[in-house]
Amino acid sequence: MIKDTLVDGFNNAPHRSLYHALGLTDEELSKPIIGIVSTFNEIVPGHMNVDKIVDAVKLGVAMAGGTPIVFPAIAVCDGIAMGHEGMKYSLVTRDLVADSTESMVKAHGFDGLVMVPNCDKNVPGLLMAAARLNLPTVFVSGGPMLAGRVDGQKRSLSAMFEATGSVAAGKMSLEKLEEFAKKVCPTCGSCSGMYTANSMNCLTEVMGLGLKGNGTIPAVYSARIELAKHAGMQVMECVRKNIRPRDILTKENFDNALAADMAIGCSTNSMLHLPAIANECGISIDLTHVNDISERTPNICHLAPAGPTYMEDLQEAGGIHAVLKRLLDNGLINGDIMTVTGKTLAENVADCEVYDDEVIRPIDNPFTKTGGLAVLKGNLAPDGCVVKRSAVAPEMLVHEGPARCFNSEEDAIAFIYSGKVQPGDVIVIRYEGPAGGPGMREMLSPTSAIAGAGLDKEVALITDGRFSGATRGASIGHVSPEAVSGGNIAYVHDGDIISINIPEYKIELKVSDEELAKRRAEDKLYEKPALTGYLKRYSKMVSSADKGAIINY
């Protein structure tokens, strides 16, 4: 315990003086000291309620006999950062969060931790930190936003971006756009569909580091406060029983996470974050293994943007634990995984039920027989690329068309808004990868512009960047190797035919090896303006997307 190394004894008197400067009593210093990592801020809707969650965690820790101490972590709103230079600073914060949390914990010492994240990159960042530090740790998120309502229909942030595309295409009035803007995001919380934030909060629950309901109880429900108190109490049990993250995060656990990912239709970003978290545990996730799990795991949930249901509906249907019970009963996951409850996954879900078979479908009546994500390979992406196939229209699962190439997201958006996109086109956006972006920007603006123009069933988009969980359509990201590293995506020319076959996990540039070799010799790689600051350091150290865009130290 901290008191043995930083509190007790004459040699620790200087430390004690500083603890007393915090107003801590001798009684508090005699108990386990629990660090609570708060991502509260006033700029991200998913985090404006985190202060209340943190207060509840503190009560839970104190009730269970611990001393809670809060320190901060940053959080970026991907929605606000979308479509401009700010998006370059989204993915890169994952490592800032992990590194700064490691620094705070190692510098000050704690007996256990409660992580309170909510949005896209701070959830995996804190999961990476938890695995790295390997102290008894429990997660409790800020919770998802309730769906908005426009014209009697539930809506979410993806509808907002698509509405912007509809205005550009002349299919919606500016007055209607403003109505959407005021109604689609009605409460605090992580955006209401199965986007990246909710995907990772749900997977935290799957992996046994969060309690039941962590991924689905809405941010504005009082049950979220109760959950936070229980998280504070549970970390004390983990301290007493010495249950640590790497006892839980085994290879079998990551297979469970991938299976659940396929079942609930998570964001493609999970294919960056799960490998990065596994890497902290000394575990490697081969992207081809993802397809093996996808082949045997049906997609049984169709949340926005893939379908008409939202996080609140999943909660009412039984939540993630009900999904896990259904998967376990059909032999699709391993129930022997240890969790922060001190019980196995099978024990945790034993009494769970599904209350709505349309929100969580039976295994024998899925939305699709295969999982929500697919990894494609071919000469355009020798090391792989990722698509959320559960959000792809059936007519686009197999597609062939001419390339329209752009060296930045901005150029692609301008082209799409100009109305020049033709049915059948394959939009190629490159030099937006982990190093080339840098920061691997999400491409929600161009995909939403395509969908808003009504072309999502006729036009594909391919990039070495990535997509928001709010993206739908034949949107294929994470192309590896990326353009700046000399990947073949850098040598695609306008008019080249690109073939996409998602059921067969293939993506091909219909250009001969001889022609590609000629282009490699003659074409010069595109050079972006010189970088400065953190992005300069990041671009030199980050791995390719197929490795999880991890930092190579």
Side-chain angles (χ1 to χ4, degrees), residues 198-209:
N198 292 326
S199 295
M200 294 310 302
N201 284 325
C202 287
L203 292 180
T204 300
E205 186 176 333
V206 171
M207 292 188 288
L209 289 174

Side-chain angles (χ1 to χ4, degrees), residues 38-55 75 77 80 116-119 122 141-145 185-190 219-220 225:
S38 171
T39 57
F40 169 76
N41 64 48
E42 295 183 339
I43 188 60
V44 183
H47 293 255
M48 61 181 287
N49 67 318
V50 164
D51 56 341
K52 296 177 177 61
I53 303 297
V54 167
D55 286 345
C77 177
I80 294 175
V116 191
N118 208 31
C119 287
N122 53 82
S141 73
M145 183 184 292
C185 297
T187 71
C188 63
S190 48
V220 294
I225 301 296

Side-chain angles (χ1 to χ4, degrees), residues 422-492:
Q422 298 298 311
D425 282 352
V426 179
I427 306 296
V428 177
I429 306 177
R430 56 201 177 189
Y431 297 98
E432 293 286 5
M440 205 178 181
R441 286 194 287 181
E442 289 184 345
M443 302 292 171
L444 181 56
S445 293
T447 59
S448 296
I450 290 170
L455 293 170
D456 57 296
K457 296 180 180 179
E458 300 176 278
V459 172
L461 192 150
I462 297 172
T463 181
D464 53 6
R466 61 193 176 91
F467 297 110
S468 163
T471 288
R472 64 183 175 93
S475 303
I476 300 167
H478 305 199
V479 169
S480 300
E482 61 177 295
V484 77
S485 300
N488 285 341
I489 191 172
Y491 302 102
V492 181

